[in-house]
Amino acid sequence: MKKKMLIFGMSLMSIVLFAGCSSLGKSGKDGDKIKVEEKGMPIVKEPLKMTMMAPRAGDAEWKDMPTLQEFEKITGISFEYKTPPQSDFATKLNLAFASEDLPDIIFGAGSDLSGTMQLTYGTQGMLIPLEDLIDEYAPNLKKVLDSDPSFRKSITAPDGHIYSLPRLFPEGESSPLYMSPLWYNGDWLEKLNVKEIPKTTDELYDLLVRFKNEDPSGTGKPIPLSSDYKMLILRTWLLPSFGLKTWGIDQWEGKVRFTPATDNYLEYLTYMNKLYSEGLLDKEVFSQSSDVYTAKTRDNRVGVFAGYNSYGQTGKKPDDALGDPMFMPLTSDIQKKPLVPGHPRIVSGLFAITSNCKSPEAAMRWADYLYTKEGADLLRFGPEGSWWKYDKAADGSEVRVYTGTDVAKMEEDRGKISPDYGIVIPGIEVDAKEPIVLQDITQTELAKFDKFRIDEIESKYMPYGEVPFPVLILTNEEVDEIKPITTDLNMYIEEMEAKFITGVEPLSNWPKYIETLEQMNLKRYVEVYQQAYDRWDKQ
């Protein structure tokens, strides 16, 4: 069962809160009666305080965040926040389960509340099943789940229960960015009189050679291809040129495979080794920080580069960046059609209700607000006056303007007003119809670039997207079996990718590499994922 989809950008879903004033009496853990309003806001008329445990990405205390203070005013529910640093969160969460000293709600845990943990602690009664609460108290979430059956399948554990809520990216309603795309330096293309961007791996190679030899940067030290995050972004967009959807487990027509053990992957390594050895791939790609990389793109030294928006990476104004075309998925001798890794449109493990919760009904209604346009926008940007205000742009349009003093710290400042910073939070992804802008960038400029970006995505990516592997929950037994294998495999393939590309390890040692993977019990690893995929596909 192959479902094609790709997700980029962010669009608004018009889901409205239900108005109403009836209430329903519910009992908390200690037996006290808690009245929960069935519809509308506030959720409770009498103040209700619960505890929430979440990973903290920045330095700000959650209790001081204007966004969460606004949520309290709207819903009538306040929280005592337990937010250990992100680096310590997994340990703290495991201790909380071990001691059964649990908060009411676990928020934003993501992979630290894996499907296996959900199943384990759900069957032990420490996490409560959510499916009935969703049906009765979360009409907005239920509407999104019903819009795509794969959503509900992906958050349902093998025992048939749902133990945590996800972040969702509805197809047709949102287009979240799966990975920062690659962009061509339009100024370089113009200087070299390049009329069409490459469509094949050979054409990309030829263009990179021209970038190096003809130096359209004028700096004397051009870098044809570069990125930060080591090979993460480059690998994402170049692997499909060789018929692979992702780096790791994917499925092809229902058959699961480990892509770094395929002949296609050897072709990818051979190509990247060629780029590296000929000086077409940044020699510092495996070691440079994001700051070092950005300095290169802002100095006009990079011909093909990664970035969420091209102008954000180069420092250009949005209007000036319209000449920087987005990378086109490439074909090759072994991949005759363009292929793009699609996103499953779901991130799981983000909102769980524990057995200690005073009012699961109120907690679910609070979570449901995140699946509305209003709640998602508020959580992302915070209330007016927090770090932005309405103002008139140069073209006369009303815009939300950043009120901080240091543009370089714009995102850091947002992390002080909202928990939507550095972690994935539950809710629905929405397009920023009213993004936060700088005073000297008009809404018209942003709208023009956004349209350009969306047009590039829709023409170059949307027709070719395929989800590499669905989000699914393994059984406890499956996880116990593959956990040690996973650790060994991931460490080894990352190490060997760098060695093969840089030439530290000759490509002639490929058979030895495959033999080592087999000794790590790769065959059983793939078999486990195959049975999990077959189970998910039949739901």
Side-chain angles (χ1 to χ4, degrees), residues 79-294:
F79 289 95
E80 175 188 345
Y81 298 104
K82 300 179 179 180
T83 55
Q86 204 168 16
S87 58
D88 297 334
F89 180 74
T91 300
K92 299 291 187 182
L93 182 60
N94 286 330
L95 287 173
F97 277 117
S99 64
E100 298 190 28
D101 183 19
L102 293 166
D104 293 87
I105 292 168
I106 300 169
F107 184 93
S111 59
D112 289 330
L113 185 62
S114 66
T116 305
M117 291 175 67
Q118 294 172 39
L119 180 59
T120 297
Y121 296 120
T123 54
Q124 291 178 9
M126 285 190 269
L127 297 179
I128 67 172
L130 304 179
E131 58 272 11
D132 291 342
L133 289 169
I134 292 171
D135 289 343
E136 191 171 355
Y137 293 99
N140 300 294
L141 170 57
K142 185 176 186 300
K143 183 176 180 180
V144 186
L145 292 178
D146 291 346
S147 72
D148 186 337
S150 69
F151 287 160
R152 193 178 289 268
K153 285 168 59 173
S154 290
I155 62 175
T156 300
D159 67 352
H161 291 304
I162 295 172
Y163 294 110
S164 80
L165 304 184
R167 188 166 189 84
L168 297 172
F169 308 80
E171 191 168 9
E173 298 289 350
S174 69
S175 47
L177 188 70
Y178 172 60
M179 184 69 68
S180 294
L182 300 177
W183 305 85
Y184 288 94
N185 188 318
D187 297 335
W188 289 24
L189 298 178
E190 185 177 357
K191 284 188 177 182
L192 298 182
N193 196 31
V194 175
K195 302 299 183 183
E196 293 188 6
I197 62 172
K199 295 181 181 178
T200 70
T201 53
D202 288 341
E203 290 175 3
L204 176 63
Y205 169 79
D206 291 340
L207 180 61
L208 295 179
V209 169
R210 290 193 65 190
F211 283 168
K212 178 187 176 184
N213 294 338
E214 300 178 42
D215 186 17
S217 73
T219 65
K221 45 185 179 181
I223 302 171
L225 175 64
S226 187
S227 177
D228 50 358
Y229 302 106
K230 298 182 179 180
M231 289 298 296
L232 174 62
I233 300 174
L234 295 179
R235 184 197 306 123
T236 296
W237 300 118
L238 287 170
L239 271 179
S241 307
F242 301 94
L244 303 175
K245 300 177 190 177
T246 192
W247 194 51
I249 287 290
D250 79 355
Q251 62 82 24
W252 192 269
E253 297 181 347
K255 185 174 181 180
V256 174
R257 60 184 179 174
F258 186 67
T259 60
T262 62
D263 291 341
N264 302 58
Y265 186 66
L266 175 58
E267 293 295 324
Y268 156 80
L269 291 174
T270 302
Y271 183 80
M272 299 307 297
N273 171 264
K274 182 179 180 180
L275 298 187
Y276 187 90
S277 62
E278 296 184 16
L280 307 179
L281 174 62
D282 194 338
K283 294 292 186 181
E284 297 180 315
V285 71
F286 288 102
S287 60
Q288 66 189 350
S289 67
S290 292
D291 288 342
V292 169
Y293 164 67
T294 298

Side-chain angles (χ1 to χ4, degrees), residues 510-528:
W510 174 260
K512 180 181 176 183
Y513 163 80
I514 293 296
E515 182 181 348
T516 303
L517 290 176
E518 291 173 347
Q519 291 171 352
M520 292 178 175
N521 210 4
L522 175 61
K523 181 179 179 182
R524 181 54 187 159
Y525 182 77
V526 172
E527 288 174 348
V528 169

